[in-house]
Amino acid sequence: MRVNRAARILHVISQRPDYTGSGIYLQAILKEAARHGYDNALVAATQSGCPAVFPAVSEELCHLLSFNNETHPGAIVGMSDVMPYPSRKFRDLDTVEINRYLGIFADLLSRAVSAHNPDIIHSHHLWLLSSIIKKLFPDIPLITSCHGSDIRQFNLCAHLRNQVREGCSRIDRVLALSTEQKQEIITCYRLPGNKIDVTGAGYDQDIFYRRSNVEKPDKRTILYAGKLSRAKGVPWLLKALSEIDPCRYHLHLVGGGSGVEFEECRAAAAALSSSCSLHGMLSQHQLASLMRSSALFILPSLHEGLPLVVLEALACGCTVIATDLPGTREIQKQLRTSQLHLVDRPTIVDTAATILADEKPFTASLKRSIEHILSQDTTDTVKQNELSYFSWDSVFRRVEESWFKVLN
């Protein structure tokens, strides 16, 4: 089924769209939409001195709210409490600051809608920005993608829940990453299940793929990629590795961050000495190359939607250890592969500060899984055709079906 003409889609995100999982998701949808003949425009955040380039959207169709300057002196307000660039936390903003934040985005949205007259607005995150869009433009269909970090903010910021829930109740359709996340959305936001479509998320097959030759990577090579923070489980990964003979592994730690947690992770990585290489932020192509030369990828995250980086690692031939979360279970359910090993998620007693009830079992589980895989000669790998459900082409087809529902 096709619409009679190329629909105009206004994509909206309150973050930098060139970082984090939601940014990668957005860029992939922009690329696929352009490839299928849709007209894209974009509203997003950026920072002064950080130029942003979006291949699927021309410069005149990008409406960027620049933070960290004389007009908007504060940093971007992060959907996660630790972002890979300087950021502020929603829970630290008072009512005046929240209203000002929403006001400047509302002005930008109004200019974008006037300029492009979109057929659909596709926003990202079931959070504050999405909650005001339908109030501003009641006659334009609104679809919102949930990414998981929005549910975490919903749980962290009790003082904003009613405002978010009331505004998000007007959204025409919501896109969930997994069936379990759909249930979380129903519970938290009190939305009817028939308004929520499970579309998942994907990986770029042109970037992430296995080596063409039969040479295997050194089985001692371990890779982590993501923010260096407690929420991503990095401190417990580094603690587990510190208890393993350093001759048995070499860790490549990829990612950025900011603040105290970032510095603590860097210090713990430095303590591993020559058995750890700290890379900082890498491009998608650089990360894919490192994945192809790594035997084991580890994502000990405590909060995720559907982690794209796990799909990318599997596509590159890595064995993967990940925390048992709704998103990783969704991947396991679709692939049914022995290449993905899940460890139990620990009990968290303080979500805001990521304090665990007992750190020892989580560290021990990670250590046990790592040692087990290091001792194995793993031959099972996921073939690219088995990952087709998670290709961006397949994900976009499911997103497009949701667009059709509101266009028709």
Side-chain angles (χ1 to χ4, degrees):
M1 179 179 179
R2 274 309 222 163
V3 290
N4 294 329
R5 59 185 175 82
R8 296 180 299 273
I9 315 294
L10 177 61
H11 305 261
V12 178
I13 190 168
S14 64
Q15 310 286 283
R16 285 181 62 173
D18 48 352
Y19 282 101
T20 73
S22 59
I24 293 171
Y25 180 109
L26 169 60
Q27 295 233 28
I29 296 300
L30 285 169
K31 179 181 174 182
E32 290 294 327
R35 190 166 69 87
H36 286 81
Y38 291 90
D39 292 331
N40 292 317
L42 174 67
V43 167
T46 187
Q47 292 170 297
S48 292
C50 297
V53 178
F54 313 109
V57 188
S58 59
E59 186 175 348
E60 63 270 18
L61 297 178
C62 287
H63 300 262
L64 304 179
L65 181 58
S66 181
F67 287 86
N68 246 6
N69 53 37
E70 290 183 5
T71 307
H72 308 302
I76 292 173
V77 191
M79 285 307 303
S80 296
D81 284 355
V82 177
M83 299 293 287
Y85 47 79
S87 63
R88 293 176 288 166
K89 300 174 185 176
F90 279 104
R91 67 176 184 268
D92 292 339
L93 303 187
D94 60 26
T95 302
V96 172
E97 290 171 311
I98 288 289
N99 290 337
R100 182 174 182 275
Y101 171 86
L102 292 175
I104 57 179
F105 263 115
D107 289 343
L108 185 63
L109 282 166
S110 296
R111 293 198 298 273
V113 168
S114 296
H116 306 298
N117 188 27
D119 297 298
I120 296 173
I121 297 176
H122 186 155
S123 70
H124 293 265
H125 301 110
L126 285 167
W127 193 235
L128 286 169
L129 183 54
S130 294
S131 76
I132 66 169
I133 292 175
K134 202 66 178 177
K135 295 179 185 178
L136 295 170
F137 316 106
D139 298 326
I140 302 176
L142 172 62
I143 287 179
T144 301
S145 291
C146 178
H147 292 282
S149 55
D150 36 14
I151 296 176
R152 185 164 186 242
Q153 289 299 327
F154 188 92
N155 291 326
L156 284 172
C157 302
H159 62 297
L160 297 173
R161 283 179 201 159
N162 289 339
Q163 180 180 353
V164 169
R165 187 184 280 136
E166 191 273 332
C168 288
S169 68
R170 297 182 171 91
I171 295 171
D172 295 288
R173 297 208 74 78
V174 171
L175 308 185
L177 296 174
S178 67
T179 51
E180 288 191 49
Q181 188 185 77
K182 176 178 177 176
Q183 190 56 53
E184 284 186 279
I185 294 167
I186 292 169
T187 301
C188 292
Y189 297 86
R190 299 172 188 165
L191 293 173
N194 61 7
K195 288 179 66 171
I196 305 170
D197 300 324
V198 178
T199 53
Y203 78 102
D204 192 327
Q205 295 170 294
D206 295 331
I207 299 175
F208 298 94
Y209 51 84
R210 291 177 58 192
R211 294 179 179 210
S212 57
N213 57 36
V214 294
E215 180 188 354
K216 294 181 181 179
D218 185 338
K219 67 185 245 179
R220 297 174 303 171
T221 309
I222 300 174
L223 173 63
Y224 165 85
K227 283 173 282 192
L228 303 188
S229 68
R230 292 176 65 84
K232 290 291 186 179
V234 176
W236 297 282
L237 168 61
L238 297 174
K239 172 64 174 170
L241 287 169
S242 73
E243 297 176 3
I244 297 174
D245 182 351
C247 295
R248 298 187 65 192
Y249 70 89
H250 186 89
L251 172 68
H252 293 277
L253 202 63
V254 175
S258 59
V260 174
E261 290 187 24
F262 175 63
E263 295 304 329
E264 288 176 346
C265 290
R266 282 172 56 92
L272 296 179
S273 189
S274 60
S275 58
C276 178
S277 298
L278 193 59
H279 293 267
M281 300 295 294
L282 296 180
S283 70
Q284 289 273 283
H285 288 278
Q286 290 170 321
L287 177 59
S289 178
L290 193 51
M291 282 179 170
R292 281 189 284 275
S293 62
S294 299
L296 173 60
F297 179 86
I298 307 177
L299 184 70
S301 183
L302 305 176
H303 311 277
E304 288 290 341
L306 194 153
L308 307 186
V309 71
V310 167
L311 296 172
E312 293 162 354
L314 290 169
C316 289
C318 296
T319 297
V320 175
I321 295 173
T323 320
D324 189 354
L325 298 169
T328 51
R329 282 197 295 275
E330 187 81 3
I331 295 171
Q332 185 73 279
K333 180 180 76 174
Q334 291 293 335
L335 299 179
R336 300 186 183 279
T337 175
S338 61
Q339 197 180 342
L340 174 58
H341 301 255
L342 301 183
V343 298
D344 290 341
R345 178 179 183 262
T347 301
I348 303 171
V349 294
D350 184 338
T351 304
T354 316
I355 305 298
L356 308 188
D358 188 352
E359 299 186 358
K360 290 181 180 179
F362 186 45
T363 301
S365 293
L366 288 170
K367 179 186 176 185
R368 192 162 49 247
S369 295
I370 294 167
E371 289 184 319
H372 172 72
I373 292 169
L374 289 175
S375 66
Q376 302 294 308
D377 185 14
T378 304
T379 56
D380 180 36
T381 55
V382 176
K383 295 179 176 61
Q384 202 155 26
N385 66 324
E386 294 174 328
L387 283 160
S388 59
Y389 177 86
F390 295 107
S391 71
W392 280 120
D393 178 68
S394 296
V395 173
F396 178 75
R397 294 290 185 183
R398 295 191 288 273
V399 171
E400 190 179 38
E401 284 298 319
S402 297
W403 289 356
F404 292 159
K405 289 174 184 177
V406 298
L407 282 170
N408 294 318

